[in-house]
Amino acid sequence: MSRAATGDMDRAARPGGSGRRARTGGRGDKPAAIERAACEVFARDGYTRAGIDAIAAAAGASTRTLYNHFPGGKEELFRTVVQWSAGRVREAQLALLARYLDPERPPRAADLERDLLALARACAGLMAESRDHFALVGHIHAEAGHLPDEVFEAWQEAGPRAVARGYAAAMAALEEAGLLDTHGDPARAAAHFAALTSTDLAQRTSWGVRPLPQAETERLLASGVAAFLRAYAAGGPRPESARG
């Protein structure tokens, strides 16, 4: 199955730039400016260190104006920004998944590694283009013990869980096509694919803040895809836990 080059990826599927453009649907300019400023400040400082005064200053607004629009203060702002940002990146990630692993048009067995690597590269590109979002994610992981439970749950629902479901469905479709053996657990296979590609890259780059040289990124992704296929390619050895 032919695939478009990653450099020609549909820009409409991507959040664009650093991910700093906040939603404005049905809202005035000032709330949108506050959301944009909050995204930048939270991405830079994290939840604990970010201050309302700094967000208001970055937005060109008074703290009184900020509280008029966001009476819940920092917690409400962080939840709003995280839900918006995670939702945009979720849609971009699911669009890439459909582009490279379309369940209606599964690849030939000979092309599976190529297509999985193309998907991994595209996701790496998305991380580079959405630095504010992935910086937020890095802070969420680092400050999980200090975040309100409602905020953490809102982030999970807005992004990671939906993406995980999408990848699990894609792995199940590849198994149905005879290309993978998920050993009865496509969700776990999806988690392992992410761990060997995007998660590994995120950790080595501090969630996109310190990009790796291109050659090193390519080596990391290629070795991750190869390791995934050694574990899950159809016809490969079954793990001990699946025997019996």
Side-chain angles (χ1 to χ4, degrees), residues 153-185:
E153 184 68 18
W155 165 63
Q156 283 284 319
E157 280 299 312
R161 287 176 184 152
V163 174
R165 289 191 295 267
Y167 269 78
M171 297 299 160
L174 290 173
E175 184 168 43
E176 180 69 21
L179 298 170
L180 293 182
D181 178 2
T182 69
H183 315 301
D185 195 345

Side-chain angles (χ1 to χ4, degrees), residues 96-231:
L96 291 173
L97 182 61
R99 181 184 181 94
Y100 291 100
L101 293 180
D102 183 352
E104 300 299 321
R105 295 183 299 165
R108 296 181 300 126
D111 295 333
L112 179 59
E113 183 172 10
R114 180 200 68 184
D115 290 354
L116 288 172
L117 183 54
L119 174 61
R121 287 176 182 140
C123 289
L126 180 62
M127 184 184 301
E129 292 178 354
S130 307
R131 289 186 183 179
D132 277 359
H133 170 75
F134 286 99
L136 278 173
V137 173
H139 285 301
I140 288 170
H141 285 289
E143 302 180 51
H146 302 287
L147 292 176
D149 290 343
E150 295 80 4
V151 171
F152 191 85
E153 184 68 18
W155 165 63
Q156 283 284 319
E157 280 299 312
R161 287 176 184 152
V163 174
R165 289 191 295 267
Y167 269 78
M171 297 299 160
L174 290 173
E175 184 168 43
E176 180 69 21
L179 298 170
L180 293 182
D181 178 2
T182 69
H183 315 301
D185 195 345
R188 179 55 60 92
H192 284 165
F193 178 76
L196 289 165
T197 56
S198 58
T199 303
D200 192 9
L201 181 63
Q203 291 175 342
R204 296 194 188 199
T205 61
S206 299
W207 297 95
V209 174
R210 299 178 180 276
L212 297 175
Q214 184 59 39
E216 188 172 349
T217 297
E218 179 66 18
R219 181 194 60 77
L220 184 154
L221 296 176
S223 63
V225 169
F228 174 79
L229 288 174
R230 283 195 295 272

Side-chain angles (χ1 to χ4, degrees), residues 58-111:
S62 66
T63 55
R64 179 176 180 177
T65 298
L66 187 152
Y67 278 110
N68 284 341
H69 292 293
F70 299 94
K74 186 164 76 169
E75 180 178 333
E76 181 182 353
L77 259 176
F78 192 73
R79 183 174 62 249
T80 298
V81 166
V82 164
Q83 286 179 301
W84 159 71
S85 186
R88 294 190 70 185
V89 172
R90 174 198 68 220
E91 293 306 309
Q93 289 174 322
L94 293 177
L96 291 173
L97 182 61
R99 181 184 181 94
Y100 291 100
L101 293 180
D102 183 352
E104 300 299 321
R105 295 183 299 165
R108 296 181 300 126
D111 295 333

